[in-house]
């Protein structure tokens, strides 16, 4: 019955929609949850305003309606299902990424809730990786279909100056890398629900299997540039009470790190995912830790 009153309004042509008429929590009926899931798969990231009633328990209870919440493989304490995205801890995800792609069955979705926002800045960007694939010229699609990429949680020190890190950032980085993970994924993942082909890349990619460092870097950049074309992105300006949910199987995201000096805190609930399958039917495989 509640589903009748739900309105889904796109905020750009290719990605993102605002969902109105839902009070998020653990008590939503099946039709409402189906409507939310459908909007998520169609629009890749969906936004809910005015969810000020929501606390950690409510956010987690809602998460359970979408699947199995999981902590972060290295950065979460055991059993802790709320992942704080806290600027005080130096956690600034300001490079384009899909969450946790250094493991095979990386999360299928995340639910991010604004807890404390800076006065200005700190918007989040999402990119549609299915639209990015769809835009490729046919020969590049065929080439991408044949590639596999190695993802790792070890920091890419070539990409930034570690001397710039604060102590809090160094501590977080150490925790994040405390267990080394490396996974080989197909560069093109077939989405298990929509059947769409998506480009699976982002900041955790280290190299393409079968290519030397130079060719890997050039080729990864070529595909990554298609993902982040502004036509494939949406930018969200957070307000108190906002919740964003993204399909982590069809998007990349990043924060805009322009809020230095003011605290920004969001709480994330992450939903366990499934092992990707490429166009040729081959799955991702763990390189580290090696499968038993
Ligand atoms: O801080 C943000 O807006 C995004 C953080 C992030 O990458 C995440 O929650 O997975
Ligand atoms: Fe993220």
């Amino acid at each position: 019955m509640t589903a009748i009153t739900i309105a889904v309004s796109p905020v750009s042509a290719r990605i993102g929609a605002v969902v109105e008429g839902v009070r998020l929590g653990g008590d939503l009926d099946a039709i409402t949850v189906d409507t939310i899931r459908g909007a998520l798969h169609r629009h890749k990231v969906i936004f809910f305003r005015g969810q000020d009633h929501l606390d950690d328990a409510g956010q987690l209870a809602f998460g359970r309606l979408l699947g199995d919440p999981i902590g972060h493989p290295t950065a979460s304490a055991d059993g802790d299902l709320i992942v704080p995205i806290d600027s005080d801890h130096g956690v600034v995800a300001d490079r384009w990424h899909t969450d946790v792609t250094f493991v095979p069955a990386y999360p299928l979705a995340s639910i991010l809730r604004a807890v404390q926002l800076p006065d200005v800045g700190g918007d989040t960007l999402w990119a549609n990786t299915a639209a990015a694939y769809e835009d490729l010229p046919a020969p590049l699609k065929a080439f991408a279909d044949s590639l596999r990429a190695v993802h790792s949680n070890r920091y890419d020190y070539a990409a930034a100056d570690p001397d710039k890190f604060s102590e809090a950032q160094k501590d977080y980085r150490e925790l994040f890398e405390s267990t080394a993970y490396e996974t080989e994924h197909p560069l093109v993942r077939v989405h298990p629900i929509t059947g769409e082909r998506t480009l699976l890349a982002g900041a955790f990619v280290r190299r393409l299997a079968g290519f030397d460092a130079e060719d890997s870097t050039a080729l990864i950049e070529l595909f990554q540039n298609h993902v982040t074309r502004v036509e494939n992105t949406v930018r969200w300006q957070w307000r108190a009470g906002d919740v964003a949910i993204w399909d982590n199987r069809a998007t990349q995201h990043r924060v805009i790190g322009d809020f230095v000096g003011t605290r920004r805190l969001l709480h994330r609930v992450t939903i366990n995912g499934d092992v990707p399958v490429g166009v040729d039917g081959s799955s991702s495989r763990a390189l580290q830790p090696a499968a038993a």
Side-chain angles (χ1 to χ4, degrees):
M1 280 157 290
T2 41
I4 300 164
T5 61
I6 297 177
V8 180
S9 314
V11 292
S12 82
R14 293 193 187 164
I15 177 168
V18 171
V19 179
E20 288 170 298
V22 179
R23 182 183 157 91
L24 293 175
D27 56 354
L28 297 176
D29 60 67
I31 295 172
T32 303
V33 175
D34 274 359
T35 305
I36 291 171
R37 219 184 249 118
L40 180 63
H41 292 143
R42 172 145 186 225
H43 299 286
K44 318 305 186 204
V45 55
I46 51 178
F47 306 104
F48 300 77
R49 298 277 198 195
Q51 306 295 319
D52 305 80
H53 62 280
L54 213 57
D55 58 7
D56 285 352
Q59 185 181 359
L60 190 56
F62 168 67
R64 290 190 201 286
L65 298 177
L66 296 183
D68 295 323
I70 41 155
H72 190 273
T74 54
S76 292
D78 269 354
D80 197 352
L81 299 177
I82 301 285
V83 177
I85 309 290
D86 189 348
S87 59
D88 274 3
H89 298 161
V91 186
V92 177
D94 59 358
R95 295 177 64 200
W96 283 103
H97 64 283
T98 296
D99 285 339
V100 200
T101 58
F102 45 84
V103 301
Y106 63 85
L108 64 83
S110 281
I111 304 160
L112 196 58
R113 175 170 65 93
V115 176
Q116 187 179 334
L117 295 172
D119 294 334
V120 65
D123 295 358
T124 304
L125 301 167
W126 282 266
N128 182 339
T129 58
Y133 177 88
E134 205 38 57
D135 262 2
L136 294 175
L140 265 188
K141 279 185 181 155
F143 183 42
D145 290 349
S146 74
L147 297 175
R148 292 175 68 91
V150 176
H151 298 229
S152 164
N153 64 330
R154 286 290 151 108
Y155 195 68
D156 180 6
Y157 287 101
D161 178 2
D163 294 338
K164 279 193 326 209
F165 290 163
S166 67
E167 284 310 308
Q169 282 173 323
K170 282 183 192 154
D171 288 350
Y172 179 78
R173 184 51 55 191
E174 232 176 82
L175 181 68
F176 193 88
E177 297 182 8
S178 52
T179 304
Y181 287 96
E182 210 174 67
T183 294
E184 186 187 289
H185 289 294
L187 182 67
V188 178
R189 176 181 191 174
V190 181
H191 194 290
I193 305 298
T194 65
E196 290 172 310
R197 295 181 182 187
T198 64
L199 283 175
L200 171 43
F204 297 118
V205 174
R206 291 294 166 271
R207 61 184 186 277
L208 290 180
F211 291 86
D212 68 19
E214 204 172 323
D215 286 345
S216 280
T217 303
L219 291 169
I220 291 162
E221 191 181 341
L222 170 72
F223 291 110
Q224 184 63 24
N225 283 344
H226 279 271
V227 171
T228 59
R229 284 186 62 205
V230 287
E231 287 78 4
N232 293 329
T233 68
V234 64
R235 176 176 179 151
W236 188 250
Q237 198 171 0
W238 293 92
R239 284 193 222 145
D242 281 0
V243 171
I245 309 175
W246 63 93
D247 182 344
N248 199 50
R249 300 183 288 202
T251 52
Q252 290 185 21
H253 59 276
R254 57 161 292 176
V255 67
I256 298 179
D258 62 350
F259 52 96
V260 181
T262 45
R263 189 174 186 206
R264 178 177 181 275
L265 175 65
L266 302 103
H267 281 185
R268 192 177 87 189
V269 167
T270 302
I271 310 299
N272 201 9
D274 49 331
V275 177
V277 176
V279 172
D280 65 357
S282 66
S283 300
S284 306
R285 66 187 180 108
L287 305 178
Q288 259 193 86

